[in-house]
Amino acid sequence: MRPEYKEAVKASYFSIAGNALLAIAKAVTGVFGNSYALIADAIESTTDVFSSFLVLLGIRYANKPADENHPYGHGKAEPLITFMVVGFLIVSATIIAYESIENIQTPHEVPEPYTLIVLAVIIIIKELSYRFVSRKSDETDSSVLKADAWHHRSDAITSFMAFVGISIALVMGDGYENADDWAALFASGFILFNAYLILRPALGEVMDEHRYEDIEMDIRSAALGVPGVVETEKCYVRKTGMTYHIDLHIAVDANITVKEGHDIAHEVKDQVLENVPQVADVLIHVEPDDEL
């Protein structure tokens, strides 16, 4: 198993445990503290538990080796799971928006002051969680782990909105009891926007959109370092999970033998795999350069 997969799995377990504990804390505080903003936050954290579990399953499945039916491996499972994670975000945002509108129209008590303390702790924990999981997603180059990280960031921001709403309700007093409900409604809109930000790169990955110029430069540099390579031409980068599959065209002297060209191609492949570790495989096409 590649080291980055182990790190991604650890980060997923961290997200599952953290979201479960915070969902319970938010729900209990929200019910006893008369804050729907906190209850709405708990709903999102509950869906985050399920989505983080999906992330874990996606990472494990994407790590399965290539087989006869999947010659490029199973890495495309990652963006597909990301789509499901986005679905969870949309459902939770819809529920929060609906319940917020219902509560805005229903008179209720001002939230308890201690809910602010709970929210402050939650904001700090979720922001730190975002930074931890985001760092792991950068280290492993996992799109689904990046989506999981943004769940933590969106949770931190919605908790901050709840903090603002409850503060307004406590400071302004009568007539502002539903300020935290408005905060929850605003948070649902942010969750939907965040869902789009998560969906966009995952869709590009499924469609094999070219977004990897830095990796392409490293590949071309490694290839040009091989004796006999005149230049590199086409270079197509396809992301599959946490690894990449490359189609590379190289130009060699048109007067050398087929075997010599074949040997150069093998050396290019070895150099790319050695110098760009996130690349899983390289398909080399040799072109004759007639100018030599």
Side-chain angles (χ1 to χ4, degrees):
M1 180 182 290
R2 296 171 67 96
E4 58 265 30
Y5 281 98
K6 294 180 180 180
E7 293 301 315
V9 167
K10 290 179 183 178
S12 296
Y13 279 126
F14 170 82
S15 292
I16 292 171
N19 286 327
L21 292 174
L22 287 177
I24 295 172
K26 291 175 183 178
V28 171
T29 307
V31 170
F32 290 99
N34 302 318
S35 171
Y36 181 71
L38 260 176
I39 296 174
D41 226 2
I43 293 173
E44 187 192 2
S45 289
T46 302
T47 62
D48 285 351
V49 173
F50 290 103
S51 66
S52 293
F53 184 70
L54 281 176
V55 168
L56 176 62
L57 292 179
I59 290 172
R60 288 191 174 278
Y61 185 81
N63 188 42
K64 292 178 64 177
D67 55 35
E68 185 177 351
N69 293 326
H70 305 87
Y72 290 100
H74 298 76
K76 290 297 185 184
E78 276 212 17
L80 295 179
I81 292 296
T82 301
F83 294 157
M84 299 179 68
V85 172
V86 169
F88 272 104
L89 278 174
I90 294 173
V91 170
S92 63
T94 302
I95 293 174
I96 291 172
Y98 176 80
E99 293 294 336
S100 296
I101 293 172
E102 289 288 313
N103 279 273
I104 287 172
Q105 299 173 349
T106 304
H108 57 79
E109 299 179 10
V110 174
E112 295 292 338
Y114 65 79
T115 56
L116 291 177
I117 299 175
V118 175
L119 276 170
V121 173
I122 289 171
I123 291 168
I124 294 172
I125 292 174
K126 295 303 290 186
E127 179 61 22
L128 292 175
S129 297
Y130 161 77
R131 297 189 181 194
F132 171 75
V133 179
S134 182
R135 186 175 70 253
K136 292 298 180 182
S137 72
D138 291 336
E139 292 174 358
T140 60
D141 204 10
S142 171
S143 59
V144 71
L145 205 57
K146 176 65 72 174
D148 204 33
W150 271 102
H151 266 273
H152 291 294
R153 170 57 65 83
S154 67
D155 213 5
I157 293 178
T158 52
S159 294
F160 176 74
M161 293 176 182
F163 186 94
V164 172
I166 293 173
S167 297
I168 292 174
L170 290 172
V171 172
M172 302 303 291
D174 292 341
Y176 289 86
E177 294 87 353
N178 59 5
D180 68 325
D181 301 316
W182 281 102
L185 181 61
F186 187 74
S188 68
F190 176 81
I191 294 171
L192 288 175
F193 177 70
N194 190 49
Y196 167 76
L197 295 180
I198 295 172
L199 176 65
R200 180 64 187 85
L203 184 61
E205 188 173 331
V206 168
M207 298 297 293
D208 289 327
E209 181 180 352
H210 183 63
R211 301 184 296 112
Y212 314 109
E213 287 81 3
D214 53 339
I215 292 178
E216 179 185 343
M217 290 178 62
D218 291 340
I219 292 167
R220 291 185 185 275
S221 177
L224 289 171
V226 174
V229 176
V230 179
E231 64 176 329
T232 58
E233 296 181 352
K234 297 176 182 176
C235 182
Y236 300 140
V237 181
R238 176 184 302 169
K239 190 172 188 293
T240 55
M242 301 179 196
T243 59
Y244 298 83
H245 288 257
I246 311 301
D247 294 330
L248 177 65
H249 290 211
I250 61 172
V252 301
D253 185 351
N255 299 309
I256 65 175
T257 66
V258 172
K259 184 180 185 305
E260 289 174 321
H262 177 77
D263 291 343
I264 291 173
H266 265 285
E267 180 63 22
V268 168
K269 179 175 181 177
D270 292 341
Q271 286 299 312
V272 170
L273 293 177
E274 180 179 344
N275 289 281
V276 192
Q278 60 267 52
V279 172
D281 196 15
V282 187
L283 179 63
I284 308 292
H285 177 77
V286 178
E287 298 275 4
D289 188 279
D290 297 319
E291 295 182 3
L292 293 178

